Amino acid sequence: MGEQSADGARSEREARAFMKALLAEGHALELMIERGMFDKGPRRIGAEQEMFLVDKDMMPAPVAVEVLSEVEDSRIVSELARFNLEANVHPRLLRGDALSSMEAEIAALVTVADGYAHRHEAQVLLTGILPTLRRADLGLDNMTPSPRYRALNDTLRAMRGGDFQILIKGIDELNVHHDNVMLEACNTSFQVHFQVSPHEFAKLYNVAQLVTGPVLAAAVNSPLLFGARLWNETRVALFSSSIDDRSSNRHRSIRPRVTFGDAWVQESVLEIFREQIARFRVILSTPDIEDPMEALSRGEAPDLGALRLHNGTVYRWNRACYGKTDGVAHLRIENRVLPAGPTIVDEVANAAFFFGLMSGVLEEIGNPRDRIDFDDAKGNFYAAARLGLKAQFTWIGGKTSTAQELIRNELIPIAREGLTSHGLDPSDIDLYLGVLSERVGHGVTGAQWMLNSLKQMGSDSIPIERSRALARAIHARQWDGAPIHTWTPAEAKEARDWRHGYQRVGQFMTTDLFTVQPDDLLDLAANVMDWKHIRHVPVEDSAGKLVGVLSNRTLIRVLAQRVAGGNTSVAVKDVMKSNPVHVRSETTTLDAITVMRTHRVGCLPVVNDDGVLVGIVTEHDLLDIAARLFEEQLK
C-alpha cells in the first residue's frame, strides 16, 4: 500500500503546505538528476511478499495485529486487512545466487509468519485472491487499525461520492456495490523491484511496460472472486475498481488512479512524478516534511517524503520509486502485477523471467518506444489479465501470436541471455526458467489449475465446499513446494469436514434467484414456478428489497378461486405474503431451522442490512443437509 506514515485529518492549510512540499521535492529530484546524485553501482533487485492468514477451515483469520505484536522480525509488517501480512525481502545484487537466495529468504519469512500465526489458530496461505473470501469479511472491523488506512477509506469514498462498484465479466459476471475500500484487501501480490539509474530509466521503464503483459500471462493465479469465475488475473480488474476515486457524476474523462499508463516515457522519470502531481489529488499527507533544499545544500540526498507518500497513492502497475540506502539515493521500477503463489518457487520463476527480460530486451529489441505502438503493449497487458496464456498478443513489427507461443519461442531465450549477462548462477537460471518453461509448455498456470479443479469437482457439492477444497489443496501443495505445473487437481473431498460449510445460511443459500415484482401478473409467477420446478418465489421491489413471498400452496389456492370466480387478472401483490419472515446471511443454520419451525414456513429469504434480497434457504436445502448427515453417521 506504499508509504506507511500519514495523518488522517488534514486542514486546508496543511493540504496547501503538503502540495508546496510536493512541488519543492519534484524540483529537488530534478536537481539531483542533473548533479548525478544517484547510486551508480551494480544493479540490485528486491521483492515484497504479501500473504493471507486463514483459519483451520480456510476462512480469513483476522489476527494480523496479534501476530505482529509478537513477531520480532521488522521485515514482516501489516497490510490493509487484519487477515493480510507483508514480508519485505532485503535488496540484493543481481548476480550469482541472487535468485535462490531470494527464494530462501522468502521461505524463511513465510515460515516465521506461519509459526506466529499458529499461536492464534491461523496459518499462512499464498494466493492472489483467497477462494473462500466473502463480502462479509470486508467490513471496516477487519481493517488494520491505522490512521493511514482509515484516511484512505474516508477520502476515497468522499471523492467518489458514494460506494465502490465492481463490475467484472468473465465466464461468470460479478456486479456488486461495496461501502468501503476493503475490496482491495482481496488482493495479495508478489511485487518485485529492479534498480535503475536516472539516465537509463526511460528506456528500462518502457521495457517493463512491454514485458509486463507476457510475464503476467505466465503468472496468472487469481481467477475467482466470491465464487465467480472471472479474469485469469482478477486482481487487475478488482484493484482498478476498489481504489477508484472517480465520481460517477463527472461529465468528462478522468484518468483512473490505478493505471497501466497511456504513453511511453520519453526522457526521464520526472515525466511520471510530474504527471502524478498534476493529475491526481492528494489523498494522504503528513506535516512532518523536511526541506529538500537544506539536505541538498549539505550535499546529502533528501528523503523526499511527500513525493514518496503521494507516489504511494497512485497505483501504476509499474511504479517508479525513489529511495535511499545508506544515505545514497536510488531509483527502481516496482512491478506490482504479479500475484502471490501458487508456490514460492513459482513466484521466483516469475521474478526471474521479469528480471531476465528487463536485462535482455534492450539488447535484443532496443527501446520499445521505437518499435511498437504503446496501445499494443497496453492491450497485451489487459488481454493477459483476462485470458492468461491463451491471450492473443500483438508484438514487435505487428506480429500476432498467443502469449504461450511468444513466451516459449521468443521471450524465454531472451530472458536467459539477460540473466546470463548479469552473471547469475547457471544452475539458478536453469531451475527458475525451467519451471517457467514447463508451466508455459503444459499451459497450467495457477489460474488454469483452479478452473480445471472446479470443473472436475462438478456440482455435487455446494460452492463454499468447493472453495474450501481449493484453498485446502493450495495450502497442502504449497507447503510441499512442487511448482504448479506438477499439481494434481483439487478434489471436493479435500474440504474434509463438510459440516463447516453449513454453519451459517450464507454459506449454502441459493443466490441465483427467480423473483417477481408486486405488480407482475400472478400468471408469470405460476409459470416461473412450473418451468423451474421451484416451490417459493421471492417478491422484490424495483430496488431489490424484499417485500413478499409466493408459495406453491398460495398459488394453488388462488388459482382455484380464480377458476371458480372467473377472475382472469390477478397481481402478485394481491396474494403474496407481505413482510415475510427472513434472516441474514450470518444467521446460524440451527437458528434458521428454529425460525422455520416456529413460523411454519418452507423458505427463508435472506437479506442484507438494507433489506435487499441476497438469497433464499428452503426446506429442500435443509433436507439435503440432513440426508448428508444421516449418510455419514449411519454408514
Side-chain angles (χ1 to χ4, degrees), residues 458-525:
S459 57
D460 291 338
S461 55
I462 61 172
I464 188 61
E465 283 188 69
R466 296 193 289 273
S467 296
R468 288 180 59 247
L470 267 182
R472 197 175 295 281
I474 291 169
H475 184 265
R477 291 157 177 73
Q478 196 166 85
W479 283 96
D480 286 343
I484 183 67
H485 68 271
T486 67
W487 288 12
T488 57
E491 300 180 48
K493 65 183 181 183
E494 293 187 70
R496 296 184 188 170
D497 191 346
W498 61 269
R499 289 171 296 181
H500 291 289
Y502 294 92
Q503 298 292 312
R504 292 173 173 77
V505 296
Q507 295 175 291
F508 63 92
M509 66 184 181
T510 300
T511 57
D512 183 14
L513 304 177
F514 293 94
T515 67
V516 293
Q517 294 192 1
D519 291 326
D520 288 337
L521 282 175
L522 188 62
D523 302 69
L524 172 63

Side-chain angles (χ1 to χ4, degrees), residues 39-326:
D39 186 3
K40 302 179 181 63
R43 198 177 305 285
R44 289 179 172 81
I45 58 172
E48 300 169 39
Q49 174 71 71
E50 296 177 351
M51 58 195 91
F52 280 102
L53 296 173
V54 296
D55 62 20
K56 63 181 180 180
D57 298 321
M58 296 291 119
M59 306 302 290
V63 296
V65 173
E66 293 79 3
V67 170
L68 288 172
S69 69
E70 299 175 359
V71 171
E72 297 178 354
D73 194 321
S74 61
R75 292 172 294 174
I76 301 175
V77 297
S78 66
E79 256 295 337
L80 175 62
R82 291 176 180 263
F83 48 76
N84 295 143
L85 289 176
E86 177 180 294
N88 295 297
V89 178
H90 287 309
R92 54 195 13 91
L93 295 176
L94 183 60
R95 66 187 185 195
D97 67 348
L99 296 174
S100 55
S101 67
M102 176 180 283
E103 181 190 352
E105 183 178 358
I106 296 167
L109 287 167
V110 170
T111 300
V112 168
D114 188 67
Y116 281 96
H118 272 83
R119 299 183 182 185
H120 300 278
E121 299 184 344
Q123 52 203 335
V124 167
L125 183 68
L126 304 181
T127 189
I129 296 176
L130 182 64
T132 54
L133 268 174
R134 304 161 300 175
R135 287 186 63 191
D137 298 314
L138 305 177
L140 292 179
D141 55 328
N142 272 342
M143 178 182 283
T144 297
S146 163
R148 168 186 167 80
Y149 297 138
R150 180 64 70 166
L152 182 71
N153 179 75
D154 295 346
T155 304
L156 288 177
R157 267 191 57 82
M159 292 169 71
R160 280 190 56 82
D163 291 349
F164 298 87
Q165 181 176 8
I166 307 298
L167 174 59
I168 309 174
K169 296 182 179 181
I171 300 174
D172 303 316
E173 178 178 301
L174 182 70
N175 188 358
V176 299
H177 286 258
H178 198 65
D179 62 0
N180 63 62
V181 78
M182 282 286 286
L183 281 164
E184 196 278 325
C186 296
N187 303 311
T188 58
S189 62
F190 179 67
Q191 300 166 18
V192 294
H193 297 252
F194 190 82
Q195 185 176 318
V196 298
S197 62
H199 77 273
E200 64 180 356
F201 177 87
K203 58 188 179 184
L204 280 173
Y205 187 85
N206 290 342
V207 169
Q209 295 283 77
L210 176 67
V211 305
T212 289
V215 172
L216 177 61
V220 288
N221 191 38
S222 311
L224 305 173
L225 177 60
F226 305 148
R229 299 162 297 173
L230 304 170
W231 293 12
N232 271 232
E233 194 52 47
T234 300
R235 289 172 48 255
V236 170
L238 176 60
F239 192 54
S240 298
S241 300
S242 63
I243 304 292
D244 194 353
D245 62 341
R246 296 172 296 171
S247 169
S248 59
N249 297 322
R250 298 294 180 96
H251 299 290
R252 59 186 174 84
S253 176
I254 298 177
R255 302 284 176 84
R257 214 168 187 101
V258 178
T259 179
F260 183 79
D262 295 291
W264 298 118
V265 173
Q266 297 300 313
E267 301 294 339
S268 169
V269 67
L270 293 171
E271 297 168 35
I272 291 179
F273 287 122
R274 288 169 177 170
E275 168 87 1
Q276 293 176 177
I277 295 172
R279 193 173 293 282
F280 299 106
R281 287 174 54 192
V282 171
I283 59 175
L284 294 176
S285 64
T286 176
D288 187 21
I289 299 294
E290 68 166 0
D291 183 350
M293 298 306 170
E294 290 184 5
L296 288 179
S297 68
R298 298 190 300 268
E300 299 174 359
D303 288 337
L304 303 188
L307 195 71
R308 289 188 293 126
L309 181 58
H310 185 57
N311 189 48
T313 65
V314 180
Y315 304 92
R316 288 178 175 265
W317 290 110
N318 282 301
R319 175 186 277 168
C321 296
Y322 169 90
K324 290 196 308 181
T325 302
D326 298 327

